[in-house]
Amino acid sequence: MTTYADLKARVRERMTRTGETYTAARAALLAEPPPPHAPRADTEPPPPRAPRADTEPPPLRALVVETDLAADRAVATFVDGDRLRSIPTRRRPRAAVLMHLLLRFERGREYAEREVNALLATAHEDVASLRRELVDYRWLQRADGVYRVADELPERFPAEAQEVPSDEVARFARVPRHRG
């Protein structure tokens, strides 16, 4: 039996409590540190071991698949080189493709609307839809006609969290920082 055998039960409990989907509840639980395990009364807990890099199992977060494979498939399906074949109509693939397009921007840099349009036009003709979706997901922030990549990821509502890739944090971390 694994150390995290009660994970499914904790996910189900969180689903009932918060109304989240299984995936969203599981992701939220995996983002938290694992709960402390109470030692059994009939046994003495083993002494703590010093971690060894070659044999120590990865922490719980590393057990989660490092990339969202469905998001990677969506990008592979809809992106051909630097261009989009089409804008996905389904929300999950669209969010994955938008995160892929976000890599064209730099965090910490301000963009005029025409610059955002020029960057997105290299991917697809419908720049207004792409720009609007990036702002709606709060990956791009708009104020007085100036656009910036968000400094940090926004808090997601359960319904919204179902749409974005499960590895949104890792994908967002790949957005380059402005050097200037």
Side-chain angles (χ1 to χ4, degrees):
M1 179 138 321
T2 66
T3 308
Y4 307 107
D6 65 330
L7 179 62
K8 187 173 183 177
R10 291 189 299 130
V11 169
R12 298 270 183 219
E13 185 276 325
R14 182 181 174 101
M15 287 172 59
T16 342
R17 187 169 28 89
T18 64
E20 295 172 320
T21 64
Y22 184 90
T23 307
R26 183 176 184 272
L29 284 173
L30 292 176
E32 301 172 358
H37 295 285
R40 291 177 36 192
D42 61 340
T43 63
E44 194 65 31
R49 296 183 315 182
R52 290 180 39 198
D54 58 321
T55 60
E56 191 67 27
L60 179 60
R61 287 187 195 141
L63 294 176
V64 176
V65 177
E66 291 199 10
T67 61
D68 185 335
L69 297 178
D72 289 341
R73 277 194 300 273
V75 170
T77 301
F78 290 98
V79 177
D80 185 20
D82 287 343
R83 300 278 303 164
L84 289 179
R85 292 184 181 105
S86 64
I87 299 174
T89 55
R90 293 177 52 228
R91 301 296 297 174
R92 257 186 95 84
R94 186 180 319 168
V97 167
L98 288 168
M99 287 213 81
H100 178 74
L101 292 176
L102 192 63
L103 296 173
R104 297 173 182 223
F105 296 89
E106 295 177 337
R107 283 193 271 175
R109 179 171 173 219
E110 294 185 346
Y111 295 89
E113 186 169 324
R114 62 180 167 69
E115 291 177 288
V116 173
N117 291 346
L119 283 169
L120 295 174
T122 61
H124 195 270
E125 302 79 41
D126 192 357
V127 293
S129 292
L130 296 173
R131 186 183 65 238
R132 188 177 326 107
E133 290 281 342
L134 285 166
V135 170
D136 287 348
Y137 278 110
R138 299 184 306 261
W139 292 318
L140 272 186
Q141 298 171 339
R142 175 180 50 211
D144 300 324
V146 176
Y147 292 80
R148 295 179 58 93
V149 174
D151 294 326
E152 58 186 42
L153 285 175
E155 190 72 28
R156 298 279 182 211
F157 297 108
E160 188 181 33
Q162 295 178 79
E163 297 174 4
V164 298
S166 60
D167 60 348
E168 177 187 24
V169 173
R171 289 176 190 267
F172 189 75
R174 288 188 287 222
V175 176
R177 294 207 177 271
H178 179 63
R179 296 182 181 155

